Amino acid sequence: MKTITLNIGSTPAVLIGEKSDRVFLFVHGLNGHKEEAIAFAEVAVPEDYQVLGIDLPVDAKPWDVIPLIIDVRDYLYEHWKYVSVRANSIGSWFTLLAFQGHPVEQALFVSPLLDMKKFIELMPQREDDYYDWVVCHPIMNWHTPTYILKPGHDLVVDDCVGKEFINTHQCHVSIMTEGEHWFHTPKQMKYLKEWEYLIISSV
């Protein structure tokens, strides 16, 4: 597959696939990296998408991260007609914040953290400045067909986190009973790719 490395502002990125008017932004989770987009591109590129993977400091404060992903968002709308998103874990939350109110063809989230406020409230301790920011920046404007893949038992994100979002936005949820928060075993990755293909090929 054709692969180009570039920087969007200060954000390192990798663009995979031949020129198309359709693109997926791939946003990794904690300790992830832009090259994770390559596995997803193996599914998306044959379906006539390009895939843009980015390195995002998801462990930083949200007010430092959001401007970076907004720069990437604006770059996408400048260069592609149709934009979709594929994100993991906390990357899903940042994606929702940055793209709400914008036209997104479809969203694929794996083990997503959809409700940061609830997630923080379940913690034994919390950073007040982080929590206050989250409370003041809710996800209110999301009208995208959203597909979610969850593990049967997520040890990172509790089942109650995101339940309201899923119900409110009528998300399509699939569960892999033997999955883990980080899909990584051959069996999990096979299931993940089949799930991705099923959604992308039906659009």
Side-chain angles (χ1 to χ4, degrees):
M1 290 183 294
K2 181 180 179 181
T3 303
I4 300 170
T5 57
L6 65 156
N7 288 299
I8 301 172
S10 60
T11 301
V14 57
L15 178 62
I16 309 159
E18 299 294 335
K19 179 63 179 175
S20 173
D21 60 358
R22 302 192 299 174
V23 68
F24 262 99
L25 173 66
F26 185 96
V27 183
H28 61 74
L30 187 64
N31 300 320
H33 50 81
K34 63 184 182 298
E35 286 77 17
E36 291 179 30
I38 295 172
F40 175 64
E42 292 173 356
V43 177
V45 169
E47 297 299 316
D48 196 31
Y49 289 91
Q50 289 181 281
V51 176
L52 183 75
I54 58 174
D55 282 334
L56 201 65
V58 296
D59 57 339
K61 303 291 188 181
W63 50 87
D64 294 324
V65 179
I66 290 299
L68 300 176
I69 195 169
I70 285 177
D71 285 345
V72 172
R73 180 200 72 194
D74 293 346
Y75 178 87
L76 291 172
Y77 288 116
E78 288 172 8
H79 291 85
W80 285 273
K81 186 175 181 180
Y82 303 106
V83 175
S84 297
V85 295
R86 160 72 173 84
N88 291 336
S89 192
I90 192 174
S92 304
W93 178 62
F94 283 117
T95 301
L96 288 167
L97 283 171
F99 281 84
Q100 64 173 329
H102 289 74
V104 178
E105 295 297 303
Q106 56 186 319
L108 280 66
F109 296 146
V110 178
S111 303
L113 201 172
L114 302 169
D115 185 344
M116 181 61 79
K117 179 176 178 290
K118 184 71 172 179
F119 183 76
I120 293 174
E121 288 171 349
L122 293 174
M123 291 180 174
Q125 295 181 326
R126 68 190 188 201
E127 299 177 47
D128 288 340
D129 59 343
Y130 198 118
Y131 180 75
D132 291 344
W133 189 96
V134 169
V135 170
C136 291
H137 295 81
I139 297 161
M140 300 291 292
N141 190 4
W142 188 253
H143 306 289
T144 295
T146 302
Y147 303 86
I148 293 171
L149 176 59
K150 298 175 62 177
H153 184 54
D154 195 328
L155 297 178
V156 177
V157 180
D158 192 276
D159 280 346
C160 69
V161 175
K163 186 172 291 187
E164 182 178 349
F165 179 92
I166 289 170
N167 292 335
T168 299
H169 300 283
Q170 300 180 335
C171 302
H172 306 271
V173 180
S174 298
I175 298 175
M176 182 184 181
T177 305
E178 299 175 22
E180 300 171 76
H181 184 78
W182 303 113
F183 281 65
H184 66 283
T185 69
K187 185 174 182 179
Q188 291 167 355
M189 295 305 293
K190 181 175 183 291
Y191 190 102
L192 170 59
K193 279 197 170 186
E194 290 174 350
W195 174 78
E196 291 168 337
Y197 175 75
L198 183 65
I199 296 165
I200 293 173
S201 63
S202 65
V203 173

